mmCIF file of all heavy atoms in Angstrom:
data_model
loop_
_atom_site.group_PDB
_atom_site.id
_atom_site.type_symbol
_atom_site.label_atom_id
_atom_site.label_comp_id
_atom_site.label_asym_id
_atom_site.label_seq_id
_atom_site.Cartn_x
_atom_site.Cartn_y
_atom_site.Cartn_z
ATOM 1 N N PRO A 29 -21.290 16.039 -39.672
ATOM 2 C CA PRO A 29 -22.676 15.996 -39.238
ATOM 3 C C PRO A 29 -23.566 16.059 -40.565
ATOM 4 O O PRO A 29 -23.378 16.949 -41.334
ATOM 5 C CB PRO A 29 -22.814 17.181 -38.420
ATOM 6 C CG PRO A 29 -21.544 17.688 -38.119
ATOM 7 C CD PRO A 29 -20.657 17.208 -39.227
ATOM 8 N N THR A 30 -24.475 15.098 -40.721
ATOM 9 C CA THR A 30 -25.340 15.087 -41.885
ATOM 10 C C THR A 30 -26.781 14.765 -41.457
ATOM 11 O O THR A 30 -26.973 14.132 -40.339
ATOM 12 C CB THR A 30 -24.937 14.164 -42.963
ATOM 13 O OG1 THR A 30 -25.470 12.807 -42.690
ATOM 14 C CG2 THR A 30 -23.448 14.136 -43.192
ATOM 15 N N MET A 31 -27.740 14.959 -42.321
ATOM 16 C CA MET A 31 -29.177 14.488 -42.127
ATOM 17 C C MET A 31 -29.338 13.272 -43.067
ATOM 18 O O MET A 31 -30.483 12.976 -43.362
ATOM 19 C CB MET A 31 -30.061 15.523 -42.257
ATOM 20 C CG MET A 31 -29.897 16.702 -41.230
ATOM 21 S SD MET A 31 -31.417 17.517 -40.858
ATOM 22 C CE MET A 31 -31.903 18.249 -42.396
ATOM 23 N N HIS A 38 -21.956 16.001 -49.570
ATOM 24 C CA HIS A 38 -21.513 15.287 -48.346
ATOM 25 C C HIS A 38 -20.157 14.566 -48.550
ATOM 26 O O HIS A 38 -19.265 14.548 -47.656
ATOM 27 C CB HIS A 38 -22.515 14.344 -47.916
ATOM 28 C CG HIS A 38 -23.947 14.927 -47.598
ATOM 29 N ND1 HIS A 38 -24.993 14.761 -48.386
ATOM 30 C CD2 HIS A 38 -24.340 15.736 -46.608
ATOM 31 C CE1 HIS A 38 -26.080 15.357 -47.932
ATOM 32 N NE2 HIS A 38 -25.676 16.078 -46.792
ATOM 33 N N PHE A 57 -28.641 11.773 -39.126
ATOM 34 C CA PHE A 57 -29.727 11.987 -38.242
ATOM 35 C C PHE A 57 -30.656 13.114 -38.713
ATOM 36 O O PHE A 57 -30.189 14.249 -38.816
ATOM 37 C CB PHE A 57 -29.258 12.233 -36.808
ATOM 38 C CG PHE A 57 -30.369 12.539 -35.788
ATOM 39 C CD1 PHE A 57 -31.403 11.649 -35.607
ATOM 40 C CD2 PHE A 57 -30.437 13.750 -35.189
ATOM 41 C CE1 PHE A 57 -32.418 11.891 -34.652
ATOM 42 C CE2 PHE A 57 -31.368 14.049 -34.193
ATOM 43 C CZ PHE A 57 -32.414 13.161 -33.993
ATOM 44 N N ASN A 59 -32.760 15.633 -37.931
ATOM 45 C CA ASN A 59 -32.983 16.177 -36.628
ATOM 46 C C ASN A 59 -34.380 16.984 -36.551
ATOM 47 O O ASN A 59 -34.469 18.118 -37.044
ATOM 48 C CB ASN A 59 -31.854 17.269 -36.318
ATOM 49 C CG ASN A 59 -32.040 18.131 -35.041
ATOM 50 O OD1 ASN A 59 -32.618 17.551 -34.116
ATOM 51 N ND2 ASN A 59 -31.604 19.428 -35.214
ATOM 52 N N GLN A 62 -34.883 20.938 -35.756
ATOM 53 C CA GLN A 62 -34.627 22.136 -36.703
ATOM 54 C C GLN A 62 -35.613 22.373 -37.729
ATOM 55 O O GLN A 62 -35.466 23.164 -38.613
ATOM 56 C CB GLN A 62 -33.199 21.926 -37.212
ATOM 57 C CG GLN A 62 -32.958 20.868 -38.233
ATOM 58 C CD GLN A 62 -31.533 20.692 -38.529
ATOM 59 O OE1 GLN A 62 -30.738 20.161 -37.790
ATOM 60 N NE2 GLN A 62 -31.078 21.061 -39.772
ATOM 61 N N HIS A 125 -35.146 27.311 -36.489
ATOM 62 C CA HIS A 125 -34.156 26.430 -37.162
ATOM 63 C C HIS A 125 -32.883 26.419 -36.497
ATOM 64 O O HIS A 125 -32.343 25.292 -36.233
ATOM 65 C CB HIS A 125 -34.010 26.871 -38.727
ATOM 66 C CG HIS A 125 -33.075 26.070 -39.445
ATOM 67 N ND1 HIS A 125 -33.272 24.846 -39.690
ATOM 68 C CD2 HIS A 125 -31.816 26.483 -39.987
ATOM 69 C CE1 HIS A 125 -32.247 24.387 -40.420
ATOM 70 N NE2 HIS A 125 -31.372 25.403 -40.546
ATOM 71 N N VAL A 129 -30.487 23.473 -34.896
ATOM 72 C CA VAL A 129 -29.156 23.131 -35.460
ATOM 73 C C VAL A 129 -28.093 23.173 -34.347
ATOM 74 O O VAL A 129 -27.281 22.230 -34.133
ATOM 75 C CB VAL A 129 -28.760 24.073 -36.614
ATOM 76 C CG1 VAL A 129 -27.388 23.780 -37.051
ATOM 77 C CG2 VAL A 129 -29.702 23.754 -37.760
ATOM 78 N N VAL A 132 -28.493 20.362 -31.639
ATOM 79 C CA VAL A 132 -28.100 18.971 -32.105
ATOM 80 C C VAL A 132 -26.554 18.903 -32.340
ATOM 81 O O VAL A 132 -25.857 17.874 -32.050
ATOM 82 C CB VAL A 132 -28.878 18.575 -33.390
ATOM 83 C CG1 VAL A 132 -28.391 19.076 -34.699
ATOM 84 C CG2 VAL A 132 -28.857 16.955 -33.413
ATOM 85 N N VAL A 133 -25.952 19.986 -33.003
ATOM 86 C CA VAL A 133 -24.584 19.977 -33.274
ATOM 87 C C VAL A 133 -23.739 19.920 -31.981
ATOM 88 O O VAL A 133 -22.771 19.316 -31.866
ATOM 89 C CB VAL A 133 -24.182 21.153 -34.201
ATOM 90 C CG1 VAL A 133 -22.672 21.239 -34.386
ATOM 91 C CG2 VAL A 133 -24.727 20.934 -35.611
ATOM 92 N N PHE A 147 -18.270 21.206 -42.392
ATOM 93 C CA PHE A 147 -19.645 21.680 -42.815
ATOM 94 C C PHE A 147 -19.505 22.263 -44.259
ATOM 95 O O PHE A 147 -18.420 22.819 -44.585
ATOM 96 C CB PHE A 147 -20.146 22.775 -41.782
ATOM 97 C CG PHE A 147 -20.364 22.236 -40.472
ATOM 98 C CD1 PHE A 147 -19.354 22.098 -39.594
ATOM 99 C CD2 PHE A 147 -21.679 21.856 -40.162
ATOM 100 C CE1 PHE A 147 -19.643 21.652 -38.248
ATOM 101 C CE2 PHE A 147 -21.917 21.279 -38.827
ATOM 102 C CZ PHE A 147 -20.908 21.214 -37.957
ATOM 103 N N ASP A 151 -24.492 25.870 -47.013
ATOM 104 C CA ASP A 151 -25.249 26.331 -45.780
ATOM 105 C C ASP A 151 -24.342 27.403 -45.051
ATOM 106 O O ASP A 151 -23.831 27.278 -43.930
ATOM 107 C CB ASP A 151 -25.561 25.258 -44.825
ATOM 108 C CG ASP A 151 -26.535 24.293 -45.484
ATOM 109 O OD1 ASP A 151 -27.697 24.703 -45.815
ATOM 110 O OD2 ASP A 151 -26.215 23.169 -45.748
ATOM 111 N N GLN A 154 -25.365 28.618 -41.588
ATOM 112 C CA GLN A 154 -25.082 27.614 -40.675
ATOM 113 C C GLN A 154 -23.613 27.490 -40.233
ATOM 114 O O GLN A 154 -23.268 27.385 -39.056
ATOM 115 C CB GLN A 154 -25.607 26.248 -41.199
ATOM 116 C CG GLN A 154 -25.246 25.029 -40.315
ATOM 117 C CD GLN A 154 -25.890 23.781 -40.837
ATOM 118 O OE1 GLN A 154 -27.059 23.500 -40.635
ATOM 119 N NE2 GLN A 154 -25.164 22.962 -41.649
HETATM 120 O O1 PAF B 301 -26.623 20.685 -42.535
HETATM 121 C C1 PAF B 301 -27.233 19.717 -42.018
HETATM 122 O O2 PAF B 301 -27.366 18.727 -42.729
HETATM 123 C C2 PAF B 301 -27.828 19.849 -40.637
HETATM 124 O O3 PAF B 301 -28.237 21.166 -40.392
HETATM 125 C C3 PAF B 301 -26.870 19.403 -39.528
HETATM 126 C C4 PAF B 301 -25.712 20.243 -39.487
HETATM 127 C C5 PAF B 301 -26.388 17.866 -39.785
HETATM 128 C C6 PAF B 301 -27.584 19.345 -38.217
HETATM 129 O O4 PAF B 301 -28.698 18.593 -38.191
#
Side-chain angles (χ1 to χ4, degrees):
T30 81
M31 297 208 299
H38 299 109
F57 176 58
N59 173 35
Q62 68 188 73
H125 177 67
V129 170
V132 80
V133 171
F147 295 87
D151 296 294
Q154 171 171 278

